[in-house]
Amino acid sequence: MSIQAVAAKAGVSVATVSRAFNFPDKVTRSTRELVERVARELDYVPNASARTLRTQRSRALGVVLPTLLNPTFAECLQGIARAAIAGGYAIIPVTTGYQLDEEERAVHLLLAGNVDGLILVVSNPSTSAALARLRGTGTPYVLAYNRHPEHPCVTVDGEAAVADAVARLVLHGHRRIAMVSGTLAASDRAQQRYRGYRKGMADAGLKAPPLIEVPFVESAVDALAGVLQVPGRPTALVCSNDLLAIRSIRAAHLGGLAVPDDLSVIGFDGIALGEDLTPALTTIAQPNDDIGRRSVELLIQAMAGGTALQADASLLLPYFFRDGESCAAARDNAND
Amino acid sequence: MSIQAVAAKAGVSVATVSRAFNFPDKVTRSTRELVERVARELDYVPNASARTLRTQRSRALGVVLPTLLNPTFAECLQGIARAAIAGGYAIIPVTTGYQLDEEERAVHLLLAGNVDGLILVVSNPSTSAALARLRGTGTPYVLAYNRHPEHPCVTVDGEAAVADAVARLVLHGHRRIAMVSGTLAASDRAQQRYRGYRKGMADAGLKAPPLIEVPFVESAVDALAGVLQVPGRPTALVCSNDLLAIRSIRAAHLGGLAVPDDLSVIGFDGIALGEDLTPALTTIAQPNDDIGRRSVELLIQAMAGGTALQADASLLLPYFFRDGESCAAARDNAND
DNA sequence: CTGTTAGCGCATTCAT
DNA sequence: ATGAATGCGCTAACAG
């Protein structure tokens, strides 16, 4: 079903059909209605590939994400999708599973697909080969969640946020505060958050115990069990993301510790599900939806201006401390 | 960067470049290597739109899902993605937010995008206008999670599964078993599961209390609070999905009921997160990943054969009862 | 306001 | 084994 067929049946030229669709006011009202009617009768759908080939723009944005199994990114994608539709763009999401070679493959795929722009969450902007390649092509892009002085980024100040969280815990009487994180090397976010943790501890004049690094989420519960059993165990855990926080709570439970009575747990991300849990998750909430939305808006705006997005267009969005039930004041006798 | 440029720089014809990429053995070893080298130097990426236009196939599959905020569908999409890549296909996921007009829009968008096939989760196959339209086009498709005698579907027997779950609860001494569901009208899955609940109750000779229908997840906790406070309240809740189960547990907690001591809760879906919760969620686990994978395999196989997928190709995958901690035997004195 | 036509980048005949 | 030429469906000049 091509434009040709519609033109033939309507008794007009293909150019007229094209105009009727793309510039409705450049054709007579009657012609437009005729074309629309015929098109509907024929179930005509304009061919996106042909249009893209001809116009050299796809009106599609590529989105590169680590995974959709973490609700953080699912929520962000939701925001991206909404904003993209509003701006007349389709989106093509691709997940990388936190793997560098998948990042490259994703960028390659999307570039071949003629996307007009890219939104990506990379593991580390400084070392991402995919990002370097992308930059070379001149295709507009923006990073979400990442933070780097040489790239346009939309994120929150993760370092300040975690320092903040530590300060709150200290205010609640906690002294033995540990941090739980995924592999540091795998993500610049994790690194920032860890820096914030150390800063928060230093500011409070506390000695920071070693980072509890959990390489595989599957083993998180086991890994934590050990740490929570020793004498002088932490009374509070700052987790680098909400999924880790949820698993920390489980580990505590399995170890016979009640949350928050025996152990306070604070997460990072602000996934919606956290509010429905018992105990409701205390967390540093990022505006995941907004991070997506603003990324798209930045990108679309830049593409309209024809200018590639610069690093100084970066946005630092506010984060919020979401009070839940997984944190409480330290008990005086928390020396068990 | 087009095939022309590569041909020119390599001193061969465009046809040769094309062959070097698509039929490496139809070209001399030396020319192939030459072309590959030049292409790499020029950062040449074949243009997907042009290829699609020319070949009339995109090697892309459209995926229509209600939402990615429910991990069930995120997990399924993961399976779809893996299988699609393995089969040499890209995927284009689109979410509908459970809205019928969005279903239509999504199908329209994907058809315009020249997808070679579609995997969709619709609200109700019997009433879906999008599905009717799609069928008319002759584009191969398969439904996931839905179940309908006239369409190719990949899902589990939700009715039997819930009947099963009820039987287990009865075996544990429960008599006052209620079901919690989203809007029945909005999903054929919810309807099937509700049928299974009634069957299970009838088989046990029990009277089924009215369905606890929760139109908006946001109000689930409030809606449940009422039901759980009345005398003769249920001692067990069968929930139509895991997210509802999680909220039911929270509602119980807020109402002063302990799970599973005062109230047993069983979910449906088998989201991975359920295993990390405290109490770990007891649930009827669907093989979400497999539902996605098998859907893709069915589709690809049909497309290879050139035959449109028939309803009799439908797959009914096994479900599993995943034992957690949110269910326990009914207490004798559960009459509070 | 409408029609004619060229060409986007590629795969694929048909020659050689 | 390689090259020349055609057309996929569409939009954007240009002409009328």
Side-chain angles (χ1 to χ4, degrees):
Chain A
M1 192 43 29
S2 78
I3 201 174
Q4 303 275 358
V6 178
K9 179 153 183 196
V12 299
S13 73
V14 292
T16 299
V17 177
S18 176
R19 287 191 199 98
F21 274 82
N22 299 307
F23 307 96
D25 32 324
K26 295 192 76 173
V27 300
T28 321
R29 183 183 172 79
S30 58
T31 341
R32 184 176 65 241
E33 285 168 352
L34 169 66
V35 169
E36 284 170 351
R37 190 171 53 71
V38 172
R40 210 171 322 111
E41 283 171 15
L42 262 40
D43 262 330
Y44 167 69
V45 181
N47 184 312
S49 298
R51 173 179 289 170
T52 296
L53 183 58
R54 174 61 230 236
T55 62
Q56 302 289 44
R57 54 197 303 257
S58 59
R59 299 205 70 86
L61 301 179
V63 183
V64 180
L65 299 166
T67 175
L68 290 171
L69 298 183
N70 184 331
T72 309
F73 300 120
E75 290 175 11
C76 176
L77 184 60
Q78 178 100 326
I80 290 175
R82 220 198 311 274
I85 290 174
Y89 281 82
I91 60 169
I92 306 178
V94 182
T95 59
T96 65
Y98 294 96
Q99 301 202 289
L100 289 179
D101 54 335
E102 290 293 331
E103 276 182 18
E104 287 214 59
R105 200 194 310 283
V107 169
H108 194 269
L109 175 73
L110 292 170
L111 254 24
N114 298 314
V115 296
D116 294 340
L118 282 165
I119 298 167
L120 34 193
V121 184
V122 300
S123 66
N124 192 326
S126 306
T127 58
S128 171
L131 198 49
R133 274 260 309 274
L134 173 57
R135 204 175 206 178
T137 69
T139 308
Y141 71 91
V142 57
L143 301 182
Y145 294 99
N146 298 296
R147 195 172 176 191
H148 194 279
E150 293 169 27
H151 297 280
C153 300
V154 176
T155 183
V156 304
D157 186 344
E159 181 170 340
V162 175
D164 236 44
V166 171
R168 282 176 187 258
L169 287 170
V170 171
L171 218 56
H172 280 59
H174 290 280
R175 293 292 173 270
R176 297 202 302 280
I177 306 170
M179 177 151 197
V180 184
S181 173
T183 316
L184 269 198
S187 136
D188 64 332
R189 278 96 64 205
Q191 288 165 27
Q192 285 167 35
R193 293 170 196 174
Y194 183 47
R195 267 202 302 280
Y197 163 73
R198 283 186 311 193
K199 178 173 184 307
M201 293 299 274
D203 287 352
L206 296 173
K207 181 165 175 299
L211 176 68
I212 305 170
E213 211 173 345
V214 182
F216 307 105
V217 288
E218 295 78 12
S219 62
V221 171
D222 294 338
L224 282 161
V227 180
L228 296 178
Q229 298 300 352
V230 301
R233 65 162 179 83
T235 64
L237 252 32
V238 176
C239 302
S240 195
N241 66 58
D242 282 349
L243 293 184
L244 276 177
I246 290 170
R247 295 196 176 92
S248 297
I249 291 173
R250 175 136 193 92
H253 173 76
L254 293 179
L257 299 177
V259 174
D261 292 345
D262 300 322
L263 181 74
S264 285
V265 175
I266 175 167
F268 196 114
D269 278 347
I271 63 177
L273 188 68
E275 301 189 89
D276 294 322
L277 300 180
T278 310
L281 203 58
T282 297
T283 189
I284 296 160
Q286 305 184 85
N288 295 310
D289 198 273
D290 276 347
I291 289 178
R293 186 172 57 78
R294 302 293 294 269
S295 297
V296 171
E297 290 173 358
L298 224 53
L299 203 50
I300 290 184
Q301 179 185 326
M303 294 184 323
T307 64
L309 217 38
Q310 299 300 321
D312 62 7
S314 291
L315 254 35
L316 213 52
L317 268 31
Y319 55 85
F320 301 95
F321 190 85
R322 184 195 288 166
D323 231 329
E325 300 159 346
S326 60
C327 274
R331 297 184 316 188
D332 293 344
N333 60 340
N335 243 345
D336 44 13
Chain B
M1 194 44 24
S2 77
I3 200 175
Q4 304 275 356
V6 178
K9 179 155 185 195
V12 299
S13 73
V14 293
T16 298
V17 178
S18 176
R19 287 193 197 97
F21 274 83
N22 300 307
F23 307 98
D25 32 324
K26 295 194 74 174
V27 82
T28 318
R29 182 183 174 77
S30 59
T31 29
R32 182 175 68 241
E33 285 167 353
L34 169 65
V35 168
E36 283 169 351
R37 190 171 52 71
V38 172
R40 211 171 321 111
E41 283 172 14
L42 263 40
D43 261 331
Y44 167 69
V45 181
N47 183 312
S49 298
R51 173 180 288 171
T52 296
L53 183 59
R54 173 63 230 239
T55 61
Q56 302 290 49
R57 55 198 304 257
S58 59
R59 298 204 72 86
L61 302 178
V63 183
V64 179
L65 299 167
T67 175
L68 290 171
L69 298 183
N70 184 331
T72 309
F73 300 120
E75 290 175 11
C76 176
L77 184 60
Q78 179 100 326
I80 290 175
R82 219 195 313 274
I85 289 173
Y89 281 83
I91 61 169
I92 307 179
V94 183
T95 60
T96 65
Y98 293 98
Q99 301 201 289
L100 291 179
D101 53 336
E102 291 293 330
E103 275 182 18
E104 287 212 60
R105 199 194 311 284
V107 169
H108 194 270
L109 174 73
L110 292 169
L111 254 23
N114 298 313
V115 295
D116 293 341
L118 281 165
I119 298 166
L120 35 194
V121 186
V122 299
S123 65
N124 192 325
S126 306
T127 59
S128 171
L131 198 50
R133 274 260 308 276
L134 173 59
R135 204 175 205 175
T137 69
T139 308
Y141 71 90
V142 56
L143 302 182
Y145 294 100
N146 297 294
R147 194 171 176 192
H148 194 281
E150 294 169 26
H151 297 279
C153 300
V154 176
T155 182
V156 304
D157 186 343
E159 182 169 339
V162 175
D164 236 44
V166 170
R168 280 175 188 258
L169 287 170
V170 171
L171 218 56
H172 280 60
H174 290 280
R175 292 293 173 269
R176 296 201 303 279
I177 305 170
M179 175 149 199
V180 183
S181 172
T183 315
L184 270 197
S187 137
D188 64 331
R189 278 96 65 205
Q191 289 165 26
Q192 285 167 34
R193 293 170 196 177
Y194 182 46
R195 268 201 301 280
Y197 164 72
R198 283 186 311 192
K199 177 173 186 306
M201 292 299 275
D203 287 352
L206 296 174
K207 182 167 172 296
L211 177 68
I212 305 171
E213 210 173 345
V214 182
F216 308 104
V217 288
E218 295 78 10
S219 62
V221 171
D222 294 338
L224 282 162
V227 179
L228 295 179
Q229 296 302 351
V230 301
R233 66 165 179 82
T235 63
L237 253 31
V238 176
C239 303
S240 195
N241 65 59
D242 282 349
L243 293 184
L244 276 176
I246 290 171
R247 294 194 176 93
S248 297
I249 291 173
R250 175 135 193 92
H253 173 75
L254 293 179
L257 299 177
V259 174
D261 292 345
D262 300 321
L263 180 75
S264 284
V265 174
I266 175 167
F268 195 113
D269 278 346
I271 62 178
L273 187 67
E275 301 187 89
D276 293 322
L277 300 182
T278 312
L281 204 57
T282 296
T283 188
I284 297 159
Q286 306 184 84
N288 295 309
D289 199 272
D290 276 347
I291 289 178
R293 185 172 58 79
R294 302 294 293 267
S295 296
V296 170
E297 289 172 359
L298 224 53
L299 203 51
I300 290 183
Q301 179 184 328
M303 293 182 326
T307 63
L309 218 37
Q310 300 300 322
D312 62 6
S314 290
L315 254 35
L316 212 52
L317 268 30
Y319 56 86
F320 301 95
F321 189 84
R322 185 196 288 167
D323 231 330
E325 301 158 346
S326 61
C327 274
R331 298 184 316 191
D332 294 345
N333 62 339
N335 241 346
D336 43 15

